[in-house]
Amino acid sequence: VGLHVRRTTTTRAPRRTSRRTKMAMANAAKTMRMPRRTALAASLPLPLLLTRRARAATLTAASQAAEVLRAPGFPDTWPYRAQDFQRYDETRDALFYDAPRFVTHIDDRAIESLRQFYERALPKSPDAAVLDICSSWISHYPDALQAERVAGLGMNEEELRRNRVLTDYEVKDLNLDPKLPYEDESFDAVTCAVSVDYLTRPLEVFQEVNRVLKPGGVAIMSFSNRCFPTKAISVWTSTGDMDHIWIVGSYFHFAGGFGPPQAEDITQQTMPWQLTDPMYVVYANKK
């Protein structure tokens, strides 16, 4: 607490993806020989897309985020193609994460927003078990968390060893092997902070999250508009914040075993001249 840390040079993605922005991204992709970017909007039925846009025009940012998953109109089958999970940098993730990064990837206000959400959403029981996947040297959990077990799973052992809230940890690349090294129904909550956009096999990961959760347990995925663009999946870098909510909601939906996913914009309200990273959560409970 009170420790000042250096932030990474992650890239800020647009809150909305305008036509001009999409054209610029397409041109940049050609120049950089990036994988083909596939806009999520292209896969949605036109009436649904128009309905979503009409709703969005009359909503505040916070209510707009919640509205995305109230009537999401998920299709009958998995709507993504293999290209949607390609990345500009397809080298092994172990190389990218080999050196520890003792930095924060979102600003202080966004961190505090996430901590406050965790405070009301995570289990209060002292014998609870919590799992943080894609974990690092800090999990942004509230000081009041009294869980008996806080397990972490991430890519860098030195970072995980530095995380003071973890009672145990595992080093694993979920893009190589999505199976979680835990028993069925082991945890009351599973969290993933600002990392869902790097998962290349999200359906399998979300199915595993469901497997290790106890009945009624909650899975919480949080994200901002910052990322390492060379490691984020194509469908993420080609879409905006509200689409990201729909994407993560669809992961819960197609994984099966979860109740309807919900979304919140937990961005701290600031004065107009104060900039802060936006912060969103999409969460669902195991049936």
Side-chain angles (χ1 to χ4, degrees), residues 186-205:
S186 301
F187 297 98
D188 300 280
V190 177
T191 63
C192 179
V194 293
S195 294
V196 68
D197 45 327
Y198 303 122
L199 296 176
T200 62
R201 300 167 69 176
L203 185 61
E204 294 166 271
V205 171

Side-chain angles (χ1 to χ4, degrees), residues 30-46:
K30 291 177 183 177
T31 302
M32 300 172 63
R33 300 183 184 276
M34 297 175 73
R36 181 183 176 189
R37 300 309 193 198
T38 56
L40 176 64
S43 68
L44 294 177
L46 184 59

Side-chain angles (χ1 to χ4, degrees), residues 237-260:
T237 57
S238 65
T239 52
D241 290 352
M242 298 302 107
D243 293 308
H244 296 162
I245 290 173
W246 193 92
I247 290 169
V248 178
S250 74
Y251 292 168
F252 279 116
H253 174 78
F254 287 102
F258 289 102

Side-chain angles (χ1 to χ4, degrees), residues 215-271:
V218 64
I220 303 169
M221 306 289 151
S222 61
F223 51 90
S224 183
N225 64 356
R226 287 187 172 275
C227 66
F228 295 112
T230 60
K231 281 298 185 182
I233 58 174
S234 174
V235 73
W236 195 273
T237 57
S238 65
T239 52
D241 290 352
M242 298 302 107
D243 293 308
H244 296 162
I245 290 173
W246 193 92
I247 290 169
V248 178
S250 74
Y251 292 168
F252 279 116
H253 174 78
F254 287 102
F258 289 102
Q262 301 178 65
E264 288 189 33
D265 180 346
I266 59 171
T267 308
Q268 277 201 9
Q269 299 301 311
T270 60
M271 301 303 290

